[in-house]
Amino acid sequence: MSLSRERILQEMGLSVWTLRARPATSAAGSADATAGNATDAAAPPADAGGPRDIAPADAGERAARIAALDWSALRADIAACRACELCGERRQTVPGVGDEQADWLFVGEGPGAEEDARGEPFVGQAGRLLDAMLAAIDLRRGEDVYIANAVKCRPPGNRTPEAAEIAACGPYLQRQIALLQPKLIVLLGRAAVHAVLGSEGSLSSLRGKPLACRSGERDIPVVVTYHPAYLLRNLPDKAKAWEDLCRARALMRTLKAATPA
Ligand code: URA
């Protein structure tokens, strides 16, 4: 981060949250077990079978191993992951999509049925609304935008991912953020907030607040808004999401002015 950018973040009074490796409490086994994929990046396990429990100490090793992967090894690792129950019912993993040098990162909750079938995030009805939200601030999927989810496998019946599942997938999202180094992260809904900020607070308590998360040596500004699927059911809140998007666009302009390409 350049000095001027750091100063801008300070002047904006951003509250910085640290992205840290949280121990992945097993969603697969006993309450005190930790789930994880302790395999070597070079030789991911075959994509078959159920989740594996690993010893708690291995969760840290797993996070450290994932933190060293490049984009293609990361995709392969996600495809082979058996760190939680979600692996049992997926058709395929949905790692993320877009420009791997994007300034914008949008984070959703987890794949639904259509995403599970196609292997790409936000391709269903909520995805169409997300595309419209992007267009409203002159963005397009894949052009300076990367889209990821808190969890990379479909929760059965499109339920909200559990805390242990978000934790098990956490190292993947953290690595995506570290590789991407986005200028700004937009969190769509509570699961994304939980995954990136570690907060289980209400969206309304976080919307409009100056927030940032720490990734490595950088503080990355964060904007919290409603999930598109929520907006489809709560049309009046679209106006609030529009406010959030306008705020995000203004913030990005300031950040780009501070760090010209
Ligand atoms: N909802 C999400 O949060 N992510 C998707 O990929 C699709 C729907």
Side-chain angles (χ1 to χ4, degrees):
M1 179 191 307
S2 73
L3 267 184
S4 56
R5 185 168 181 274
E6 210 162 52
R7 203 169 302 129
I8 279 183
L9 295 187
Q10 273 169 9
E11 280 168 14
M12 286 170 169
L14 294 175
S15 312
V16 177
W17 302 63
T18 305
L19 271 175
R20 62 186 187 283
R22 287 186 291 276
T25 310
S26 175
S30 61
D32 59 352
T34 312
N37 173 351
T39 56
D40 194 312
D47 190 8
R52 297 195 179 117
D53 286 349
I54 60 168
D58 289 347
E61 277 172 34
R62 171 179 177 258
R65 184 182 55 73
I66 291 170
L69 301 179
D70 64 17
W71 278 111
S72 95
L74 185 63
R75 278 190 292 272
D77 212 79
I78 291 171
C81 181
R82 313 226 145 269
C84 79
E85 287 285 355
L86 297 185
C87 70
E89 300 202 31
R90 71 182 177 218
R91 286 214 231 167
Q92 60 189 311
T93 54
V94 182
V97 72
D99 175 357
E100 291 172 358
Q101 257 118 48
D103 287 331
W104 292 85
L105 170 62
F106 286 76
V107 181
E109 180 174 300
E114 288 181 62
E115 291 78 17
D116 180 60
R118 287 179 47 189
E120 181 173 336
F122 284 103
V123 290
Q125 206 190 356
R128 285 188 282 284
L129 178 55
L130 177 60
D131 286 340
M133 290 164 73
L134 294 177
I137 51 170
D138 305 316
L139 294 174
R140 277 161 64 100
R141 179 184 291 250
E143 291 177 15
D144 204 23
V145 173
Y146 194 89
I147 302 172
N149 279 314
V151 296
K152 315 302 187 200
C153 299
R154 181 188 181 206
N158 296 347
R159 65 163 169 76
T160 304
E162 291 172 4
E165 293 158 354
I166 291 174
C169 234
Y172 291 134
L173 184 58
Q174 289 173 26
R175 186 59 186 151
Q176 287 176 313
I177 293 172
L179 286 168
L180 199 59
Q181 304 246 332
K183 281 193 165 62
L184 180 63
I185 302 176
V186 179
L187 300 180
L188 304 165
R190 283 189 68 185
V193 166
H194 184 174
V196 172
L197 301 180
S199 164
E200 297 191 57
S202 69
L203 270 197
S204 53
S205 68
L206 293 169
R207 276 189 56 249
K209 295 257 162 65
L211 301 166
C213 71
R214 177 151 276 256
S215 174
E217 297 300 305
R218 296 185 66 221
D219 294 330
I220 304 174
V222 167
V223 169
V224 168
T225 192
Y226 295 107
H227 191 285
Y230 167 87
L231 293 173
L232 288 169
R233 298 188 306 268
N234 298 274
L235 296 181
D237 281 339
K238 275 189 176 176
K240 293 184 191 164
W242 170 240
E243 278 170 25
D244 299 333
L245 291 173
C246 289
R247 201 175 138 255
R249 179 169 57 181
L251 193 50
M252 179 61 88
R253 283 185 181 146
T254 309
L255 294 166
K256 284 195 171 178
T259 53

